[in-house]
Amino acid sequence: MPSSWGKIFRISTFGESHGESVGVVVEGVPAGIPIRLEEIQKDLNRRRPGQSKLTTPRDESDTVRIVSGVFEGKTIGSPIALIVDNQNTISKDYENLRETFRPSHADYTYQAKYGFRAHVGGGRSSVRETIARVAAGAIARMILEDDLGIRTVAWVDTIGEISSDLTEEKYPRSREEVDGNEVRCPDSAAADRMRNLILKMKEAGDSVGGIIRCASYHLPPGLGDPVYDKLDGDLAKAILSIPACKGFEVGSGFAGTLLTGSNHNDEFYVEEGSGRVRTRTNRSGGLQGGISNGEALVIRAAFKPTSTIFKKQNTVNLNREETVLEAKGRHDPCVLPRAVPIVEAAVNLVLVDAYLYQRAMNPLWFKKWASLPAYYDDLKL
């Protein structure tokens, strides 16, 4: 079962939902990089279960430990290992799933592929596996922010048929703006309606899906490669590997197919003062030819309704007998609020890998764009 990702900033994740621990080994981080444990914990706290009435009541602190690769707060060039222990597993709730497959869940496909599976908590198919990605993503985030001033912010854009009213000019610029409510939608009016819908689904024993939008600000041009290592291709793989994610868009996405070329193209101009090449619109979502163009990277990720619900459902068992399933356990009625930091982590993992690769391949590029953080500070963005 492949559990590794990345070219230079390479992560290998391990652990199951109801196992002893979940963790990640991060390789490729240069020596001397400051690692702030409290920043990693902050990101994990945003992902943890039990944080509001909208999420699963599973009570986990998700306290992270760094067991290698860091000395006196800085990396030493060796693999960094981070571990989070599971503390609140109730495996007996899953006993009725030992031989029965949940509709639209990974139960059947795992059994068909491997011939054996961990039925408790879903094993590796559980969203609990994403602890590892968020922990590694926090390290990626610190490197990107410290070196280039890159800031990635995701938020809930839609829940069911309820959409936020955020135009590009109103996109949030900080995680604090997003965390202003438990839905993690910066449009407070829409957030109230979303919250009510999620609670309605929870009371009915059902679930609901939605879309997360994510913007990465202050990207320099030049990240990503044409053809097989396009930045949007790597982002798509990273985002679509998140449990329950079923759709991915960059920029205008599918809506761009409704426009003509003359209406869709992002015209270039030279920014006064900085001399930088900019675009007047950003329908490309910050990527052209698989390479960043210096504008904000904007993506969307679609998440299906949670598969495990408490309504009766028709299914089959290991003996290929048709049966009726009544699921038990603790599950999110909507994954979107907790998926926000997971999407951010996935994007940051892709960006830091592309950044370290570009820096190694072309040191002059790094020398040119390393001054960007000071430039953006001057603009107070």
Side-chain angles (χ1 to χ4, degrees), residues 170-181:
K170 296 180 181 178
Y171 287 172
R173 295 298 184 114
S174 70
R175 286 176 288 275
E176 288 72 23
E177 292 179 62
V178 174
D179 290 349
N181 58 67

PDB file of all heavy atoms in Angstrom, residues 170-181:
ATOM      1  N   LYS A 170     -13.172  39.653  -1.852  1.00  0.00           N
ATOM      2  CA  LYS A 170     -13.527  39.398  -0.454  1.00  0.00           C
ATOM      3  C   LYS A 170     -12.905  38.112   0.087  1.00  0.00           C
ATOM      4  O   LYS A 170     -13.197  37.717   1.225  1.00  0.00           O
ATOM      5  CB  LYS A 170     -15.056  39.316  -0.318  1.00  0.00           C
ATOM      6  CG  LYS A 170     -15.781  40.610  -0.643  1.00  0.00           C
ATOM      7  CD  LYS A 170     -17.285  40.435  -0.472  1.00  0.00           C
ATOM      8  CE  LYS A 170     -18.043  41.706  -0.811  1.00  0.00           C
ATOM      9  NZ  LYS A 170     -19.519  41.516  -0.677  1.00  0.00           N
ATOM     10  N   TYR A 171     -12.070  37.438  -0.703  1.00  0.00           N
ATOM     11  CA  TYR A 171     -11.457  36.212  -0.209  1.00  0.00           C
ATOM     12  C   TYR A 171     -10.696  36.488   1.084  1.00  0.00           C
ATOM     13  O   TYR A 171     -10.000  37.507   1.209  1.00  0.00           O
ATOM     14  CB  TYR A 171     -10.479  35.638  -1.230  1.00  0.00           C
ATOM     15  CG  TYR A 171     -11.121  35.005  -2.452  1.00  0.00           C
ATOM     16  CD1 TYR A 171     -10.340  34.592  -3.527  1.00  0.00           C
ATOM     17  CD2 TYR A 171     -12.498  34.815  -2.543  1.00  0.00           C
ATOM     18  CE1 TYR A 171     -10.904  34.015  -4.656  1.00  0.00           C
ATOM     19  CE2 TYR A 171     -13.067  34.235  -3.656  1.00  0.00           C
ATOM     20  CZ  TYR A 171     -12.271  33.838  -4.719  1.00  0.00           C
ATOM     21  OH  TYR A 171     -12.829  33.264  -5.825  1.00  0.00           O
ATOM     22  N   PRO A 172     -10.800  35.603   2.065  1.00  0.00           N
ATOM     23  CA  PRO A 172     -10.069  35.810   3.322  1.00  0.00           C
ATOM     24  C   PRO A 172      -8.560  35.739   3.112  1.00  0.00           C
ATOM     25  O   PRO A 172      -8.078  34.967   2.287  1.00  0.00           O
ATOM     26  CB  PRO A 172     -10.556  34.656   4.202  1.00  0.00           C
ATOM     27  CG  PRO A 172     -11.005  33.606   3.246  1.00  0.00           C
ATOM     28  CD  PRO A 172     -11.561  34.336   2.067  1.00  0.00           C
ATOM     29  N   ARG A 173      -7.827  36.547   3.864  1.00  0.00           N
ATOM     30  CA  ARG A 173      -6.373  36.585   3.756  1.00  0.00           C
ATOM     31  C   ARG A 173      -5.664  35.926   4.925  1.00  0.00           C
ATOM     32  O   ARG A 173      -4.436  35.918   4.983  1.00  0.00           O
ATOM     33  CB  ARG A 173      -5.902  38.045   3.636  1.00  0.00           C
ATOM     34  CG  ARG A 173      -6.351  38.757   2.355  1.00  0.00           C
ATOM     35  CD  ARG A 173      -5.791  38.067   1.135  1.00  0.00           C
ATOM     36  NE  ARG A 173      -6.102  38.760  -0.095  1.00  0.00           N
ATOM     37  CZ  ARG A 173      -5.206  39.344  -0.883  1.00  0.00           C
ATOM     38  NH1 ARG A 173      -3.942  39.331  -0.543  1.00  0.00           N
ATOM     39  NH2 ARG A 173      -5.583  39.932  -1.997  1.00  0.00           N
ATOM     40  N   SER A 174      -6.438  35.416   5.893  1.00  0.00           N
ATOM     41  CA  SER A 174      -5.815  34.781   7.050  1.00  0.00           C
ATOM     42  C   SER A 174      -6.699  33.652   7.564  1.00  0.00           C
ATOM     43  O   SER A 174      -7.921  33.644   7.352  1.00  0.00           O
ATOM     44  CB  SER A 174      -5.588  35.801   8.172  1.00  0.00           C
ATOM     45  OG  SER A 174      -6.830  36.195   8.741  1.00  0.00           O
ATOM     46  N   ARG A 175      -6.083  32.715   8.254  1.00  0.00           N
ATOM     47  CA  ARG A 175      -6.841  31.627   8.856  1.00  0.00           C
ATOM     48  C   ARG A 175      -7.738  32.134   9.980  1.00  0.00           C
ATOM     49  O   ARG A 175      -8.775  31.531  10.275  1.00  0.00           O
ATOM     50  CB  ARG A 175      -5.876  30.551   9.367  1.00  0.00           C
ATOM     51  CG  ARG A 175      -5.259  29.714   8.240  1.00  0.00           C
ATOM     52  CD  ARG A 175      -4.249  28.729   8.755  1.00  0.00           C
ATOM     53  NE  ARG A 175      -3.032  29.390   9.176  1.00  0.00           N
ATOM     54  CZ  ARG A 175      -2.042  29.714   8.366  1.00  0.00           C
ATOM     55  NH1 ARG A 175      -2.134  29.434   7.079  1.00  0.00           N
ATOM     56  NH2 ARG A 175      -0.955  30.301   8.818  1.00  0.00           N
ATOM     57  N   GLU A 176      -7.341  33.220  10.623  1.00  0.00           N
ATOM     58  CA  GLU A 176      -8.151  33.793  11.697  1.00  0.00           C
ATOM     59  C   GLU A 176      -9.512  34.249  11.168  1.00  0.00           C
ATOM     60  O   GLU A 176     -10.534  34.092  11.850  1.00  0.00           O
ATOM     61  CB  GLU A 176      -7.419  34.961  12.348  1.00  0.00           C
ATOM     62  CG  GLU A 176      -6.228  34.567  13.205  1.00  0.00           C
ATOM     63  CD  GLU A 176      -5.035  34.092  12.387  1.00  0.00           C
ATOM     64  OE1 GLU A 176      -4.939  34.467  11.198  1.00  0.00           O
ATOM     65  OE2 GLU A 176      -4.194  33.335  12.938  1.00  0.00           O
ATOM     66  N   GLU A 177      -9.530  34.812   9.959  1.00  0.00           N
ATOM     67  CA  GLU A 177     -10.808  35.199   9.354  1.00  0.00           C
ATOM     68  C   GLU A 177     -11.703  33.982   9.134  1.00  0.00           C
ATOM     69  O   GLU A 177     -12.914  34.032   9.360  1.00  0.00           O
ATOM     70  CB  GLU A 177     -10.565  35.895   8.012  1.00  0.00           C
ATOM     71  CG  GLU A 177      -9.892  37.247   8.081  1.00  0.00           C
ATOM     72  CD  GLU A 177      -9.687  37.819   6.691  1.00  0.00           C
ATOM     73  OE1 GLU A 177     -10.686  38.055   5.996  1.00  0.00           O
ATOM     74  OE2 GLU A 177      -8.515  38.011   6.305  1.00  0.00           O
ATOM     75  N   VAL A 178     -11.094  32.891   8.692  1.00  0.00           N
ATOM     76  CA  VAL A 178     -11.840  31.665   8.401  1.00  0.00           C
ATOM     77  C   VAL A 178     -12.389  31.046   9.680  1.00  0.00           C
ATOM     78  O   VAL A 178     -13.518  30.531   9.713  1.00  0.00           O
ATOM     79  CB  VAL A 178     -10.943  30.662   7.650  1.00  0.00           C
ATOM     80  CG1 VAL A 178     -11.651  29.325   7.479  1.00  0.00           C
ATOM     81  CG2 VAL A 178     -10.535  31.227   6.299  1.00  0.00           C
ATOM     82  N   ASP A 179     -11.603  31.084  10.749  1.00  0.00           N
ATOM     83  CA  ASP A 179     -11.993  30.441  11.998  1.00  0.00           C
ATOM     84  C   ASP A 179     -12.939  31.288  12.836  1.00  0.00           C
ATOM     85  O   ASP A 179     -13.196  30.980  14.006  1.00  0.00           O
ATOM     86  CB  ASP A 179     -10.743  30.108  12.819  1.00  0.00           C
ATOM     87  CG  ASP A 179      -9.925  28.977  12.193  1.00  0.00           C
ATOM     88  OD1 ASP A 179     -10.442  28.329  11.264  1.00  0.00           O
ATOM     89  OD2 ASP A 179      -8.785  28.757  12.636  1.00  0.00           O
ATOM     90  N   GLY A 180     -13.498  32.333  12.255  1.00  0.00           N
ATOM     91  CA  GLY A 180     -14.425  33.189  12.982  1.00  0.00           C
ATOM     92  C   GLY A 180     -15.733  32.504  13.350  1.00  0.00           C
ATOM     93  O   GLY A 180     -16.471  32.981  14.211  1.00  0.00           O
ATOM     94  N   ASN A 181     -16.040  31.379  12.690  1.00  0.00           N
ATOM     95  CA  ASN A 181     -17.213  30.586  13.068  1.00  0.00           C
ATOM     96  C   ASN A 181     -16.881  29.113  12.865  1.00  0.00           C
ATOM     97  O   ASN A 181     -15.904  28.758  12.208  1.00  0.00           O
ATOM     98  CB  ASN A 181     -18.454  30.988  12.259  1.00  0.00           C
ATOM     99  CG  ASN A 181     -18.248  30.848  10.764  1.00  0.00           C
ATOM    100  OD1 ASN A 181     -18.107  29.749  10.239  1.00  0.00           O
ATOM    101  ND2 ASN A 181     -18.213  31.978  10.061  1.00  0.00           N
TER     102      ASN A 181
END
